[in-house]
Amino acid sequence: MILEVNNTYNERRPYLVHRDSTAEVKTPDSRPSIKGYRVKDFYVSPFNSRKGHYTVLASDPLGAGMVGFNGIDVKITLNSSKGHPKLVARLFSERKPIDPSLLGTLSKLVFLARWFWVGFVTVPRIVKEAIILLYRRKLEMREKPAPLLGTLGRHSTSTEKVLEKCFRRYLEFLVHHSKRPLLVKYNSSGFISKSEEFSSLSYVASPDAENVLELRVLTPAFYSRFVQYDDGLDGITSELINHKTIWINKPELTQHIFTPLSVTSRSQSYSDSIFTALTRNLRRSPLEASIDSDPIHPPRTFLPARGAKDVHAPLMEAFMICQADGGLKRQYQWASFRQLFADWCLMGRVDLLDGGIDIVRMGIAWKCVSFVNQHGRDY
């Protein structure tokens, strides 16, 4: 049985719940039930940690021979780490199921009119209950930790989508020019994750997979954080060990990717020089990420420290200016500048910056229209 848990941050966590045949019972209507157990490792509520486990009891919705439909009846119990029930949720159906293909136009409109409002009031209901728990019940709120391996990341913002594309090109370039035979399996993060493989020029496939590195980005926030670092290896190390926004199966291999590397530079334009100067002044160390005190990640191999005098790896910014095509370079410059500026004065809220830019644009457009109208009357 597949159990998918969602939170209000657009993150999802699918669990494969194994059927416990020894604990299964018959429901009152003689329908067989499916019982399962799964350890919790997903952040859902600010009032609960990631500790505990889920117990699932579901009536088999299918009839004999997997023919027909008997309705939905699922009960999920969240238990604490000590085994005490903390929350019980039940989803069940009472009426016969509706086949949309058999409904006429009027019936579909009536159905939508009856149920469309549910989605709009869900978030206000959540906020209301959160206020009650916080102020009336005096429950302690927990900061949102970085997602763990197995979590499907939230939707990427438009800025993060551009930065992900640039990071992918940057990583491909570094792997391709690595002196060590390497195969990198890169998994991006976002609502729809992408998986790609990059190999160095000297890589030859072998069954032992000694030189195969897997890099999984756990949250799109990694891309907006990575542009804050002056050095690629420092960024990867910090996000892996300290902030846990990525997962790597063999961290010790990253030093063979983010190595001192010469980038053939073309003549830098005046606009590129201005952009470099601006981003140098805006760049700050990323904020600390909230992490559970008892992480569920397996122990990682720590990376060897590298002194400041050895930091020669080119920035992704330098790579984009010197190697990327003009269109991608401009996308990177605009996206990274917006992100760095928002991190500097808007707590990383690029959406607030975009809203301010839209207001300025509307103001300029209004002034232009007013100017044209006024001078048009004069003539």
Side-chain angles (χ1 to χ4, degrees), residues 66-281:
M66 300 187 71
V67 178
F69 182 74
N70 296 325
I72 298 174
D73 192 353
V74 182
K75 184 173 73 172
I76 301 177
T77 303
L78 172 61
N79 301 278
S80 66
S81 56
K82 297 181 180 180
H84 303 302
K86 298 177 65 176
L87 180 68
V88 179
R90 185 187 177 199
L91 174 67
F92 61 95
S93 58
E94 297 178 331
R95 300 181 182 180
K96 293 183 179 180
I98 299 174
D99 187 350
S101 62
L102 302 179
L103 294 179
T105 303
L106 180 60
S107 299
K108 292 179 180 179
L109 292 175
V110 171
F111 180 84
L112 291 175
R114 291 178 59 188
W115 296 104
F116 82 94
W117 57 272
V118 175
F120 292 100
V121 299
T122 297
V123 173
R125 285 175 171 175
I126 294 175
V127 173
K128 173 190 171 184
E129 294 301 324
I131 293 174
I132 293 175
L133 292 175
L134 180 62
Y135 294 104
R136 183 179 300 178
R137 303 296 183 182
K138 305 297 182 181
L139 293 184
E140 180 184 357
M141 287 190 66
R142 301 170 180 266
E143 292 186 10
K144 183 185 180 303
L148 299 178
L149 186 65
T151 300
L152 301 180
R154 58 168 172 78
H155 297 263
S156 300
T157 64
S158 58
T159 301
E160 290 167 344
K161 289 178 181 178
V162 173
L163 295 178
E164 187 280 324
K165 182 166 55 175
C166 298
F167 176 80
R168 187 171 1 112
R169 288 283 301 275
Y170 176 57
L171 179 64
E172 181 181 11
F173 178 85
L174 293 178
V175 174
H176 186 70
H177 290 82
S178 175
K179 296 180 180 179
R180 174 164 177 162
L182 282 174
L183 174 67
V184 174
K185 297 181 179 180
Y186 164 67
N187 294 271
S188 63
S189 179
F191 184 69
I192 300 178
S193 301
K194 298 178 182 178
S195 179
E196 293 190 48
E197 294 185 358
F198 310 128
S199 61
S200 59
L201 293 173
S202 57
Y203 175 75
V204 178
S206 60
D208 56 5
E210 178 183 354
N211 295 318
V212 178
L213 179 144
E214 184 178 359
L215 190 158
R216 290 181 177 269
V217 180
L218 304 179
T219 170
F222 164 77
Y223 305 112
S224 58
R225 295 174 63 87
F226 188 75
V227 297
Q228 294 278 8
Y229 292 95
D230 288 324
D231 178 63
L233 183 59
D234 178 51
I236 291 293
T237 305
S238 180
E239 293 302 310
L240 172 67
I241 297 176
N242 300 327
H243 307 296
K244 295 181 172 60
T245 58
I246 58 175
W247 177 88
I248 299 178
N249 64 333
K250 297 179 180 178
E252 64 276 7
L253 293 180
T254 57
Q255 61 181 319
H256 301 289
I257 300 175
F258 298 90
T259 57
L261 185 66
S262 61
V263 178
T264 303
S265 176
R266 55 181 177 234
S267 58
Q268 197 176 64
S269 65
Y270 184 69
S271 61
D272 291 339
S273 301
I274 295 177
F275 168 76
T276 302
L278 285 174
T279 54
R280 186 185 301 116
N281 292 321

